[in-house]
Amino acid sequence: MKRFKITVDKVVGYCSCNYKKGDVFYVQGMNTPKKEFCGGAFLIIYPIQVSLHTGGCFSFEKNPLCKTQLACPDNGNVIFSIELMAE
């Protein structure tokens, strides 16, 4: 099963979930993270997860199997990345 790594890359200002830079969450397949995860942030991340899961890539990224600069809908205070990990 494909595995993903979601990383908190940057936090500026207030985060209602108290995320910190460097926090990491792992996801398998088309599931949600096993730990509690912000629903608003997941709405931004999930379409990218679907794309990577079904063979998509981001050729403009340093790593085409990683999408960076995914801003939380809460004023963009938290920036995430999601990466398809090697199987």
Side-chain angles (χ1 to χ4, degrees), residues 57-76:
C57 68
F58 300 92
S59 59
F60 52 87
E61 292 280 4
K62 186 174 182 179
N63 173 357
L65 299 179
C66 180
K67 179 67 185 92
T68 62
Q69 300 296 312
L70 297 167
C72 178
D74 184 14
N75 294 323

Side-chain angles (χ1 to χ4, degrees), residues 25-74:
F25 303 85
Y26 293 96
V27 182
Q28 291 199 339
M30 297 300 294
N31 298 307
T32 58
K34 291 191 181 211
K35 302 197 260 190
E36 285 189 26
F37 194 81
C38 176
F42 197 67
L43 287 172
I44 301 303
I45 293 169
Y46 188 69
I48 306 302
Q49 182 179 341
V50 171
S51 177
L52 290 168
H53 188 270
T54 57
C57 68
F58 300 92
S59 59
F60 52 87
E61 292 280 4
K62 186 174 182 179
N63 173 357
L65 299 179
C66 180
K67 179 67 185 92
T68 62
Q69 300 296 312
L70 297 167
C72 178
D74 184 14

